[in-house]
Amino acid sequence: MGKVAVLGVFVVDLAFRADRMPVMGETFLGNSFAMNPGGKGSNQAVAAARMGADVSMITRLGADDFAAMARELWTGDGITAEVVEDAGSYTGAAHIFINEATGDNAIIIAPGAAAEISPADLEAARSVIEGADVFITQLEQPLDAAMRGLQIARAAGVTTILNPAPAVELPREMLALCDFVTPNETETEILTGLPVANAEDAARACEALKSLGVARPIITMGAQGAYLDGFGLVPAVAAGKVVETTGAGDAFNGGFAACLADGMAPEKAVTYACAVAGLSVTRAGAAPSMPQRDEVLALI
Ligand code: RIB
């Protein structure tokens, strides 16, 4: 069982299914509502744990009912919580619109206490990071915290993955700390200025990411699959009708981290990660949609 340290955010997803998005000033009736655990970091931790990894989750929570939901989720999946509890703040939430016809989503996230995760929190979790096989983070918490985590991991020889979501322009010194960076098409365009519609575009964007210091980019391309630099396009694995795409990228990242931590070669780990994502989109919710290892092996 490989060890994965995740730095990231937990929020409660408040998901509304409707036929379209309202325009500003408009109110109309949606089709349904669900409240589920989410947050990119926590979703990735759950995906990795369900793939069999020994996972630690580094974050901040409030001292409220949403925090209790986080702790219950992680206990259920055997995830070790490395949490700073901030009673003066609140555990975050995300407003999620899901298009009923396509399963696609649009999200507003308020990270709450997790917006205060600091480099000092990462110093406090240093031994957890140094003891991991893989360190993975995203960009829902402050950049300087992600940077410190990557620095600690890199100095200890721990494999580093940055999922640059939500995308912002990143300093070169941060990208140079990453063994793998896993943007989707939109995030790739923000990082490189290059649009990605197909494998040729992805190959070009990978070169641009490498010129910014990334060791090995992986561009996730939704229904097309994922483009691994130096290998090519690994096709998506269809596992059934698409119900909701929220958390699909997290499924990919968590699955990839777990497989790498287990000693798998990146080429094979990407194939497994595509299967984790393929299963996740056939189910509603983000964290609840993450498949168990047996399901992934059966699909592969
Ligand atoms: O990647 C999906 C996640 O992004 C959702 O669970 C939502 O919480 C947002 O953070």
Side-chain angles (χ1 to χ4, degrees):
M1 195 192 268
K3 287 189 175 180
V4 176
V6 182
L7 162 64
V9 168
F10 169 91
V11 295
V12 173
D13 286 349
L14 307 168
F16 297 80
R17 299 182 78 93
D19 298 332
R20 62 176 176 84
M21 276 214 255
V23 295
M24 194 55 73
E26 181 188 26
T27 301
F28 67 86
L29 295 180
N31 301 337
S32 65
F33 166 75
M35 185 167 96
N36 277 310
K40 293 184 192 301
S42 178
N43 294 341
Q44 293 177 17
V46 170
R50 291 187 186 170
M51 277 301 285
D54 176 356
V55 179
S56 298
M57 175 74 199
I58 303 163
T59 193
R60 280 188 179 230
L61 297 172
D64 46 28
D65 289 349
F66 284 3
M69 194 192 274
R71 291 184 189 278
E72 192 183 327
L73 171 75
W74 298 335
T75 301
D77 280 301
I79 295 167
T80 305
E82 299 291 338
V83 170
V84 175
E85 192 174 284
D86 181 356
S89 185
Y90 62 93
T91 306
H95 168 279
I96 303 188
F97 158 75
I98 300 158
N99 183 306
E100 190 72 79
T102 64
D104 290 335
N105 62 69
I107 301 177
I108 302 171
I109 171 180
E116 303 301 324
I117 298 174
S118 69
D121 293 346
L122 276 295
E123 285 299 340
R126 174 179 278 276
S127 63
V128 174
I129 299 170
E130 291 177 340
D133 299 295
V134 171
F135 172 77
I136 182 166
T137 191
Q138 324 71 31
L139 300 174
E140 288 184 333
Q141 76 287 317
L143 217 55
D144 58 354
M147 183 82 154
R148 194 72 199 109
L150 289 165
Q151 285 167 340
I152 293 170
R154 172 55 65 89
V158 175
T159 299
T160 53
I161 306 172
L162 172 64
N163 173 221
V168 289
E169 276 184 41
L170 293 174
R172 286 178 84 101
E173 60 266 39
M174 186 164 185
L175 291 169
L177 292 167
C178 302
D179 292 310
F180 298 93
V181 170
T182 58
N184 65 17
E185 301 99 318
T186 317
E187 292 149 3
T188 300
E189 187 163 355
I190 292 169
L191 291 174
T192 65
L194 298 171
V196 175
N198 52 43
E200 291 71 41
D201 294 345
R204 214 169 300 125
C206 281
E207 291 307 317
L209 286 165
K210 285 193 292 184
S211 74
L212 294 173
V214 176
R216 199 162 185 195
I218 301 172
I219 300 177
T220 58
M221 299 173 65
Q224 292 188 71
Y227 189 94
L228 172 62
D229 175 62
F231 184 68
L233 185 64
V234 177
V237 182
K241 181 179 167 356
V242 175
V243 171
E244 184 181 331
T245 60
T246 314
D250 301 329
F252 179 92
N253 278 281
F256 181 65
C259 290
L260 277 189
D262 208 24
M264 227 181 246
E267 294 75 13
K268 194 170 170 189
V270 169
T271 303
Y272 277 71
C274 284
V276 177
L279 281 160
S280 81
V281 298
T282 64
R283 298 156 188 182
S289 74
M290 301 305 167
Q292 300 289 343
R293 183 183 174 88
D294 288 354
E295 298 174 275
V296 176
L297 297 184
L299 181 63
I300 290 272

